[in-house]
Amino acid sequence: MQKMVILGATGSIGSSTLSVIESNPQAYGIYALVANTNVDKMVSLCEAHRPQVAHMVDSKAAVSLKERLPSELGIEVTTGEDQLLDIVSAACVDTVMAAIVGAAGLVPTLAAVKAGKRVLLANKESLVMSGRLFIEEMQRSGAKVLPVDSEHNAIFQALPESMQDNIGYCELEQAGVSHILLTGSGGPFLTSELDSLAAMTPDQACKHPNWSMGRKISVDSATMMNKGLEYIEARWLFNATDEQLKVVIHPQSVIHSMVQYLDGSVLAQMGNPDMRTPIAHCMAYPQRIHSGVEPLDFFKVGQLSFLEPDFNRFPCLALAMEACKQGQEATTVVNAANEISVQAFLDNRIKFTDIARVNEACLSQVAPQTLNSIEDILTLDLQSRRYAAEWVKKFN
Ligand code: NAD
Ligand code: MG
């Protein structure tokens, strides 16, 4: 039985992970569930899944969870950064699902990597920020990192086994790969009038045509910053160059990404847009288990279509690709700026189209510097957040 920790247990990926565990109770046990503030959800998850430990990052939430959890469940409630690091590196833990949203996921995810765990990586922001340091830490500890993000999971599945065993250090050319084709639906505003975008509300932006996800990643899908972050994520996971990475808009979200080989072959991974498929793949790899997802019905799908991305409509995608070219300081800055601008949009403080303006203003200020440690990255992240907050005020 694999013992698991679920970081971000109360979120969308957390729920999908728990659903896959429910379908395979003999193979997976839960050591700890980790969340930020949502006590109501955590109480019901604890009652249903009986972890040994329930950790709330917010200390007040931990106090309230302790009061509300029936003591006969015998669940230990914890809070505090050190306690969280102890949880992910505990000797009894085999697998850590890294599904906290945003930069907050960096430290615990990296701790799981350092501890040599099997890390199922949903929290793309942590890799976007820490890039090379993350990959080096992975090699040092021997941690097995498996990509949960559906695109990266698809690419992983379409790569030869020798590349799957060498995440972060793939020699794509040697494997005969010419391109990685990162697909994206284009989100809810793919065909909206360009001059209507400024007035789009948070609820409209979060109404993804195919996927049901948390609000931050849903807004990122509407701006296509999500594809930009995934472009950077793919750069690190598959050791890919700019020339090897292409973004393809595929509105149906049936193909989750593709690998194009030198001989003209293209391998695609397909399925219904349900995160339980990549999650189950990562949990069981190299085996296969039931995920609870309906089999894909090609007669219902009918058509698959493809478009080139329009950078005029999706300036955030262009910004992230530019940041990827510039290097790790730029990707850290753009990620931090984007978290601030997206939150400001969700709080109705700026317009949808201001997200790209804030991000661009921050990216244009990046000074070349070398990031040698996680502390350097966290310092730059914090500075960039402050800077982005000033720009938010200007647009407010
Ligand atoms: P969500 O908003 O639904 O859930 C976020 C989780 O993170 C919650 O459990 C919350 O308690 C926790 N959290 C938030 N702030 C925290 C903090 N400061 N410290 C500790 N925990 C904190 O988000 P989601 O949609 O499940 O996405 C989670 C991650 O997975 C993101 O990085 C996202 O990009 C990635 N991802 C999500 C999907 C998807 O379909 N939802 C797909 C691919 C990748
Ligand atoms: Mg994705």
Side-chain angles (χ1 to χ4, degrees):
M1 180 180 266
Q2 266 187 58
K3 273 261 174 199
M4 293 186 66
V5 171
I6 303 175
L7 301 174
T10 53
S12 160
I13 294 286
S15 305
S16 297
T17 307
L18 290 165
S19 155
V20 176
I21 294 176
E22 266 178 346
S23 307
N24 300 274
Q26 69 302 335
Y28 304 93
I30 301 170
Y31 173 64
L33 297 178
V34 177
N36 192 18
T37 53
N38 192 341
V39 178
D40 288 345
K41 185 83 187 266
M42 193 56 133
V43 170
S44 62
L45 294 182
C46 284
E47 283 170 343
H49 299 281
R50 310 286 173 101
Q52 278 170 253
V53 182
H55 182 95
M56 301 302 290
V57 169
D58 182 84
S59 58
K60 284 195 196 118
V63 172
S64 145
L65 180 66
K66 210 170 195 162
E67 280 166 11
R68 290 185 44 195
L69 268 190
S71 59
E72 58 273 18
L73 291 183
I75 298 172
E76 185 188 351
V77 176
T78 61
T79 187
E81 197 170 323
D82 288 347
Q83 283 77 359
L84 179 53
L85 300 186
D86 288 346
I87 287 171
V88 294
S89 51
C92 66
V93 170
D94 305 295
T95 302
V96 176
M97 166 54 79
I100 289 174
V101 60
L106 175 63
V107 171
T109 302
L110 211 61
V113 171
K114 279 187 189 164
K117 302 299 183 193
R118 184 178 168 104
V119 179
L120 317 188
L121 184 69
N123 175 228
K124 64 193 86 184
E125 296 92 341
S126 60
L127 184 55
V128 166
M129 292 169 76
S130 62
R132 186 169 305 287
L133 289 168
F134 187 104
I135 301 294
E136 284 172 2
E137 222 34 275
M138 203 180 80
Q139 209 187 31
R140 199 169 305 144
S141 69
K144 179 95 188 147
V145 173
L146 293 157
V148 170
D149 210 348
S150 58
E151 295 73 8
H152 306 74
N153 185 267
I155 296 160
F156 181 92
Q157 293 198 47
L159 283 172
E161 210 180 307
S162 59
M163 298 294 112
Q164 296 179 345
D165 288 339
N166 219 2
I167 284 300
Y169 295 90
C170 304
E171 292 292 346
L172 292 175
E173 231 177 278
Q174 251 177 40
V177 172
S178 60
H179 292 100
I180 283 177
L181 306 177
L182 197 59
T183 55
S185 68
F189 305 148
L190 178 62
T191 55
S192 311
E193 290 295 329
L194 277 183
D195 58 12
S196 70
L197 294 184
M200 292 298 183
T201 64
D203 283 346
Q204 285 171 308
C206 288
K207 211 161 173 241
H208 197 281
N210 309 327
W211 298 93
S212 147
M213 311 181 282
R215 281 173 84 77
K216 192 259 179 185
I217 185 176
S218 295
V219 175
D220 285 349
S221 298
T223 61
M224 280 196 86
M225 175 53 95
N226 184 47
K227 213 48 53 188
L229 297 176
E230 291 180 353
Y231 182 94
I232 302 164
E233 186 186 9
R235 181 259 168 278
W236 291 115
L237 285 175
F238 306 114
N239 193 24
T241 61
D242 282 349
E243 292 69 39
Q244 287 167 327
L245 283 170
K246 282 190 189 165
V247 175
V248 177
I249 296 198
H250 164 49
Q252 296 84 7
S253 302
V254 167
I255 293 177
H256 300 310
S257 278
M258 303 180 262
V259 178
Q260 190 160 44
Y261 288 85
L262 294 174
D263 62 5
S265 303
V266 180
L267 300 192
Q269 186 265 359
M270 298 184 230
N272 282 317
D274 186 321
M275 287 307 292
R276 287 175 300 173
T277 296
I279 290 169
H281 173 264
C282 290
M283 282 169 61
Y285 178 83
Q287 260 97 50
R288 298 273 177 177
I289 53 173
H290 283 288
S291 64
V293 176
E294 289 287 305
L296 181 62
D297 181 342
F298 280 92
F299 302 119
K300 268 197 199 144
V301 171
Q303 273 196 339
L304 300 179
S305 54
F306 306 93
L307 303 161
E308 240 180 279
D310 170 0
F311 293 115
N312 232 345
R313 179 179 293 276
F314 299 115
C316 283
L317 173 60
L319 283 177
M321 289 168 71
E322 171 56 31
C324 188
K325 234 185 239 150
Q326 284 183 31
Q328 214 179 322
E329 61 277 35
T331 57
T332 301
V333 169
V334 93
N335 178 66
N338 184 61
E339 282 190 35
I340 296 297
S341 57
V342 168
Q343 192 55 54
F345 167 68
L346 285 172
D347 297 342
N348 292 305
R349 284 182 284 133
I350 58 171
K351 294 200 280 283
F352 179 74
T353 41
D354 291 335
I355 295 173
R357 293 169 76 198
V358 171
N359 296 352
E360 186 174 13
C362 293
L363 185 63
S364 69
Q365 291 296 313
V366 176
Q369 58 178 292
T370 318
L371 301 170
N372 288 320
S373 66
I374 292 304
E375 289 68 36
D376 289 352
I377 290 170
L378 292 173
T379 306
L380 180 60
D381 173 72
L382 198 66
Q383 280 170 1
S384 313
R385 280 165 195 274
R386 290 202 188 111
Y387 194 68
E390 282 168 27
W391 276 99
V392 163
K393 277 192 208 139
K394 287 182 204 169
F395 291 132
N396 191 340

